């Protein structure tokens, strides 16, 4: 297949993948050739008769796998953002092959011997700090991957890794199918009473696209809670919607979760760790299971107490409707009532102020200009992976071209739920490549001809994901291994969470929060009430997050050999044991659709969001109180942290910005847990 576009570097600007040429049939041959080429490149390294040097071993290793990288980044995004049955089949074939390929490299004894020889003599090699870090990280990665195991143990490890890769792919595909199958189909607009007119029109358009012409469809988002629960006045419809959300995928994915937890525990033991959590955390900034457990334990009691105080307030309001006890499907609805009553904040009234195009250009892009001097020019001449996706060229303050940003903002049946960032081309001085980054969101479409209006949470998500994009765009490292967001899981969410602060900065909010019809600016007084209302909901948000985190922790601290037969029983026991079982506050994710930990890279690492928020809250306080102009503070944050990637210890980068080690006080204050 000489015409396969993956077989040659892209000639487009910034090496943007040639999406207009890429077809489904190109992926598998490109994967196969890419893996074969990389193994041949590694064989050439190990066949070199000269003594190992940094250049002929470590730098040579960094240069391997160019074709495989090209196809893998495109396929991973395509299979997540616009999948098809054919792509699902390719993914099912390729996932275990990639696991085998990873093991073929990291269990290559000749390659490890060369790296180990360099590691033993590292103090005499005269390496600069980033090169020394590359050697240390590569050596550590080989050890963690089992390079020192005996033949029999390595054979078992290969089998475990291939099985886990295949199971993870099946889990993800099951979630996608369950999300589609469990969407709530309604017969009349009356059942959607309470939703805004644009939201009802969006549900009708969603139904049309999904083949339910004349009806209304509420598709499920990844999380347990669904946005419509805050507005739907019909309690039975709320109950049906939440039941659909909480019950999806249990039959298909429950057994897979049990199997994966067992295999991960076995692998951890094989690699010398008491649990999968211990294996994972050893390579994160947290360092130990005890450190993570101590933070979570410190938060549980105050969070539950806060949630119970909120529940009492909800019960007071619900009593007027004859509701005797707040159920899980009531919480969001009566929280909205409390916000309206106590803070005079109505989510439906807010939506007209958050029109997608204005939020993007006059909010997200404006803040990036304010803090970092960036400007953005749309490039309709460049084709992205889907017609919905838009390409923007990003420029420095002096007009120098920086990279490309792709925004794919809308929900569709072929896209997995949630929101995420991908790097299609990673910055590297070694390869000379500049960054191409992509954000995927799931904002519902508007009816034809109508503006796309966003909720407050969707605005936050847009700012959050763009924080990841900036992390990739600002990367200034030599080696691909360290580029952009290639940092520990419990650090990667930190820069994106910091970027959320711009959505409420007065000068930014006033620039984008304007009524789409009248142009009226969202009043500062209403903004103050929104901020106060945000504080009221912290109990719920902290408990639902901690419940999911502790479920993840429970699954991945299970020792090898412990038998689990019933997923729902395991969940109930785990939440009760952690002191986080609040019936009216379901975990943000239940096991069967917890793709972060069973189909992504967050197994035993979902704690990363709260761990990163410690750094985030501390940094926001630094931004607001260091006495520097915003632009100067932004430059410090960019130069000392965002640009560094993983080229130095992330906590060293944090200290270079803030001037000290992180403190938990700002987080506890933000979460109302002091």
């Amino acid at each position: 297949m000489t015409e396969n576009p993956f077989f040659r570097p892209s000639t487009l600007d910034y090496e943007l993948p040639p999406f207009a040429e890429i077809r489904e049939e190109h992926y598998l041959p490109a994967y196969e050739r890419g893996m074969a080429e990389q193994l041949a490149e590694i064989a050439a390294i190990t066949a070199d008769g000269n003594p190992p040097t940094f250049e002929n071993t470590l730098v040579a290793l960094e240069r391997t796998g160019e074709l495989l990288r090209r196809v893998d980044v495109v396929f991973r995004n395509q299979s997540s953002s616009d999948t098809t049955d054919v792509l699902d089949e390719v993914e099912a074939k390729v996932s275990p092959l990639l696991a085998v390929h990873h093991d073929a490299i990291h269990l290559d004894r000749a390659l490890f011997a060369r790296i180990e020889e360099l590691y033993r003599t590292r103090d005499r090699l005269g390496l600069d700090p980033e090169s020394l870090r590359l050697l240390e990280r590569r050596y550590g990665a080989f050890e963690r991957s089992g390079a020192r195991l005996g033949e029999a143990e390595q054979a078992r490890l290969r089998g475990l890794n291939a099985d886990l890769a295949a199971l993870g792919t099946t889990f993800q595909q099951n979630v996608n199918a369950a999300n589609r199958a469990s969407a709530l189909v309604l017969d009349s607009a009356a059942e959607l009473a309470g939703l805004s007119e644009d939201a009802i029109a969006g549900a009708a358009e969603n139904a049309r696209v999904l083949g339910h012409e004349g009806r209304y469809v509420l598709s499920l988002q990844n999380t347990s809670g669904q946005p419509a629960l805050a507005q739907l006045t019909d309690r039975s419809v709320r109950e049906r919607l939440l039941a659909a959300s909480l019950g999806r995928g249990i039959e298909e994915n429950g057994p897979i979760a049990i199997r994966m937890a067992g295999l991960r525990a076995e692998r951890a033991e094989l690699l010398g760790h008491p649990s999968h959590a211990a294996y994972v955390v050893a390579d994160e900034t947290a360092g130990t299971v005890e450190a993570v457990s101590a933070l979570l334990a410190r938060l549980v009691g105050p969070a539950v107490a806060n949630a119970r105080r909120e529940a009492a307030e909800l019960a007071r309001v619900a009593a007027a409707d004859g509701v005797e006890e707040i159920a899980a499907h009531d919480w969001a609805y009566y929280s909205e009532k409390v916000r309206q009553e106590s803070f005079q904040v109505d989510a439906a009234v807010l939506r007209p102020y958050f029109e997608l195009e204005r939020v993007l250009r006059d909010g997200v892009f404006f803040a990036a200009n304010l803090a970092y001097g960036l400007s953005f020019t749309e490039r309709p001449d460049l084709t992205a992976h889907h017609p919905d996706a838009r390409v923007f060229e990003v420029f420095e303050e002096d007009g120098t071209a920086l990279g490309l940003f792709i925004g794919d903002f809308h929900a569709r049946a072929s896209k997995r739920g949630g929101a995420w960032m991908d790097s299609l081309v990673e910055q590297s001085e070694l390869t000379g490549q500049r960054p191409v980054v992509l954000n995927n969101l799931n904002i519902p479409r508007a009816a034809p001809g109508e503006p796309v209006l966003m909720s407050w949470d969707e605005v936050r998500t847009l700012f959050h994901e763009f924080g990841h994009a900036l992390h990739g765009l600002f990367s200034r490292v030599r080696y691909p291994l360290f580029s952009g967001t290639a940092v520990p899981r419990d650090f990667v969410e930190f820069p994106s969470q910091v970027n959320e602060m711009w959505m409420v900065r007065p000068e930014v909010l006033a620039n984008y929060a304007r009524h789409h019809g009248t142009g009226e600016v969202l009043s500062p007084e209403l903004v103050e009430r929104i901020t106060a209302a945000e504080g009221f909901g912290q109990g719920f948000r902290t408990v639902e997050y901690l419940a999911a985190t502790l479920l993840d922790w429970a699954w991945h601290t299970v020792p090898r050999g412990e038998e689990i037969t019933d997923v729902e029983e395991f969940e109930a026991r785990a939440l009760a044991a952690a002191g986080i079982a609040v019936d009216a506050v379901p975990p943000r994710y239940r096991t069967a659709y917890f793709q972060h930990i069973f189909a992504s890279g967050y197994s035993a690492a979902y704690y990363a969001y709260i761990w990163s928020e410690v750094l985030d809250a501390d940094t926001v306080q630094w931004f607001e109180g260091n006495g520097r102009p915003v632009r100067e503070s932004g430059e410090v944050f960019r130069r000392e942290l965002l640009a560094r990637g993983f080229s130095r210890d992330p906590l060293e980068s944090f200290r270079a910005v803030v001037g000290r080690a992180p403190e938990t006080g700002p987080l506890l204050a933000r979460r109302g847990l002091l």
Side-chain angles (χ1 to χ4, degrees):
M1 293 183 67
T2 55
E3 75 281 3
N4 192 314
F6 289 114
F7 289 172
R8 60 187 184 276
S10 171
T11 58
L12 297 175
D13 292 355
Y14 303 90
E15 298 185 38
L16 176 72
F19 290 108
E21 303 173 31
I22 295 170
R23 303 289 180 266
E24 290 178 335
E25 60 267 24
H26 293 143
Y27 286 114
L28 190 56
Y31 264 119
E32 290 170 342
R33 182 183 290 193
M35 287 185 276
E37 279 189 8
Q38 187 171 28
L39 292 181
E41 291 161 348
I42 287 170
I45 295 173
T46 58
D48 189 338
N50 296 306
T53 67
F54 185 79
E55 287 292 326
N56 71 19
T57 302
L58 268 298
V59 173
L61 180 58
E62 283 293 284
R63 292 185 183 277
T64 67
E66 181 184 347
L67 168 56
L68 183 57
R69 273 196 297 271
R70 281 202 300 271
V71 63
D72 191 49
V73 294
V74 174
F75 180 79
R76 282 189 289 107
N77 176 68
Q78 196 74 33
S79 63
S80 296
S81 64
D82 189 27
T83 196
T84 65
D85 290 343
V86 172
L87 294 184
D88 284 350
E89 291 174 7
V90 172
E91 187 174 25
K93 291 178 182 177
V94 166
S95 293
L97 293 178
L98 287 173
V100 170
H101 180 71
H102 176 277
D103 285 339
I105 296 170
H106 287 85
L107 301 181
D108 184 320
R109 296 190 186 280
L111 180 59
F112 180 59
R114 294 178 71 90
I115 294 173
E116 187 176 29
E117 173 63 23
L118 292 171
Y119 182 78
R120 281 201 304 264
T121 60
R122 63 192 182 279
D123 293 338
R124 302 196 297 274
L125 298 179
L127 299 177
D128 63 83
E130 186 176 344
S131 296
L132 177 60
R133 184 166 177 80
L134 178 68
L135 172 55
E136 292 171 342
R137 290 298 303 173
R138 282 294 187 191
Y139 175 77
F142 273 73
E143 275 205 320
R144 282 177 57 79
S145 296
R148 293 193 181 282
L149 296 178
E151 292 293 340
E153 289 81 5
Q154 285 192 354
R156 178 55 184 153
L157 181 63
R158 292 173 195 267
L160 289 169
N161 287 336
D163 287 348
L164 282 165
L167 288 167
T169 297
T170 302
F171 188 98
Q172 175 66 68
Q173 293 178 357
N174 286 347
V175 170
N176 293 343
N179 285 348
R180 292 191 293 269
S182 300
L184 186 61
V185 182
L186 300 167
D187 294 322
S188 69
E191 294 175 282
L192 294 173
L195 296 188
S196 63
E197 289 184 8
D198 70 282
I200 293 173
E205 174 66 9
N206 192 28
R208 186 192 66 76
V209 170
L210 295 175
H212 299 283
E213 190 77 46
R215 302 174 82 186
Y216 302 83
V217 174
L218 297 176
S219 291
L220 297 182
Q221 295 196 3
N222 271 10
T223 52
S224 296
Q226 302 297 313
L229 291 170
Q231 279 85 42
L232 290 166
T233 58
D234 188 324
R235 195 182 189 209
S236 67
V237 175
R238 297 200 304 269
E239 185 173 13
R240 288 164 57 197
L241 178 59
L242 185 60
S245 178
L246 296 178
R248 63 189 135 147
I250 187 67
E251 292 185 7
E252 299 81 9
N253 275 347
I256 292 176
I258 291 172
R259 177 71 174 145
M260 290 184 75
L263 294 178
R264 285 169 172 170
E266 182 181 351
R267 182 177 61 184
E269 184 181 83
L270 190 63
L271 293 168
H273 296 271
S275 68
H276 180 68
Y279 169 75
V280 168
V281 174
D283 201 40
E284 303 291 330
T285 64
T288 66
V289 167
E290 291 74 20
V292 176
S293 296
L295 175 65
L296 298 178
R298 183 180 180 187
L299 298 176
V300 166
V304 170
N306 198 356
R308 295 200 188 284
R309 286 193 295 272
E310 291 176 3
E313 183 66 10
L314 302 186
R316 180 188 63 78
V317 176
D321 291 345
V323 175
E324 296 181 1
E325 184 176 353
I326 293 290
H329 54 267
D330 296 318
W331 193 293
Y333 180 74
Y334 286 106
S335 287
E336 190 61 32
K337 289 251 188 184
V338 169
R339 289 188 182 94
Q340 292 179 31
E341 176 188 289
S342 301
F343 306 102
Q344 291 81 55
V345 173
D346 185 341
V349 171
L350 290 177
R351 285 174 61 85
Y353 289 89
F354 304 132
E355 192 269 321
L356 172 59
E357 190 67 16
R358 189 182 289 268
V359 174
L360 177 67
R361 292 184 179 276
D362 297 342
V364 172
F365 289 172
F366 175 78
N369 177 266
L370 185 72
Y372 308 111
L374 301 185
S375 60
F376 301 81
T377 300
E378 191 153 6
R379 293 286 304 272
D381 58 307
L382 295 177
T383 301
H385 60 283
H386 189 277
D388 285 350
R390 302 159 61 188
V391 183
F392 298 84
E393 190 167 11
V394 188
F395 296 92
E396 300 276 17
E397 193 168 30
D398 63 1
T400 303
L402 176 63
L404 294 179
F405 167 71
I406 302 173
D408 183 358
F409 303 117
H410 289 297
R412 51 183 173 266
S414 60
K415 183 190 282 191
R416 70 173 170 88
W420 67 97
M421 171 266 191
D422 272 324
S423 290
L424 297 180
V425 180
E426 295 180 330
Q427 179 274 334
S428 166
E429 293 172 0
L430 182 68
T431 63
Q433 291 176 311
R434 292 183 292 174
V436 178
V437 301
L438 183 150
N439 279 171
N440 267 291
L441 279 78
N442 268 281
I443 300 170
R445 295 178 183 279
E450 296 298 317
V452 178
L453 304 181
M454 304 169 67
S455 70
W456 182 258
D457 283 343
E458 286 167 343
V459 173
R460 186 191 310 280
T461 299
L462 185 59
F463 275 87
H464 176 98
E465 294 305 329
F466 194 73
H468 286 305
L470 290 174
H471 203 175
L473 285 167
F474 286 154
S475 178
R476 285 294 176 272
V477 299
R478 188 179 316 161
Y479 303 113
L481 184 68
F482 298 142
S483 186
T485 58
V487 297
R489 288 290 183 187
D490 58 7
F491 191 84
V492 73
E493 297 298 335
F494 156 48
S496 55
Q497 289 170 333
V498 167
N499 205 61
E500 294 176 21
M501 77 177 184
W502 300 111
M503 72 175 282
V504 293
R505 287 275 298 208
E507 66 271 45
V508 177
L509 190 65
N511 201 57
Y512 76 84
R514 295 171 178 264
H515 195 285
H516 76 92
T518 67
E520 175 192 7
V521 177
L522 193 66
S523 71
E525 187 254 340
L526 180 54
V527 173
E528 288 181 12
R529 297 202 306 269
I530 294 171
T531 303
E534 287 265 289
F536 171 77
Q538 284 296 344
F540 175 88
R541 285 191 290 274
T542 306
V543 167
E544 70 158 1
Y545 166 76
L546 287 175
T549 301
L550 288 159
L551 272 185
D552 172 29
W553 211 236
W555 279 112
H556 294 117
T557 51
V558 171
R560 182 188 176 189
E562 181 172 320
E563 185 177 1
I564 302 169
T565 58
D566 187 312
V567 167
E568 292 179 294
E569 181 186 355
F570 177 85
E571 287 185 348
R573 284 203 323 269
L575 296 177
I580 199 75
V582 179
D583 291 341
V585 185
R588 184 169 176 80
Y589 300 99
R590 292 190 66 192
T591 298
Y593 49 92
F594 205 165
Q595 53 193 5
H596 278 78
I597 67 170
F598 290 111
S600 187
Y602 279 80
S603 62
Y606 194 64
Y607 78 89
Y609 289 91
I610 201 80
W611 191 271
S612 294
E613 196 179 345
V614 172
L615 309 178
D616 152 38
D618 215 353
T619 302
V620 169
Q621 189 175 81
W622 170 83
F623 256 103
E624 294 173 345
N626 65 31
R628 294 185 175 100
V630 168
R631 183 71 182 81
E632 185 180 329
S633 294
E635 190 57 37
V636 171
F637 190 58
R638 172 181 177 171
R639 182 184 65 247
E640 295 294 344
L641 195 142
L642 297 177
R644 297 285 187 152
F646 203 22
S647 65
R648 70 177 178 189
D649 181 271
L651 292 181
E652 183 181 338
S653 294
F654 174 88
R655 286 190 290 270
V657 173
V658 179
R660 54 167 172 75
E663 298 175 355
T664 59
L667 166 68
L668 298 176
R670 174 192 287 181
R671 290 269 179 172
L673 302 179
L674 287 176

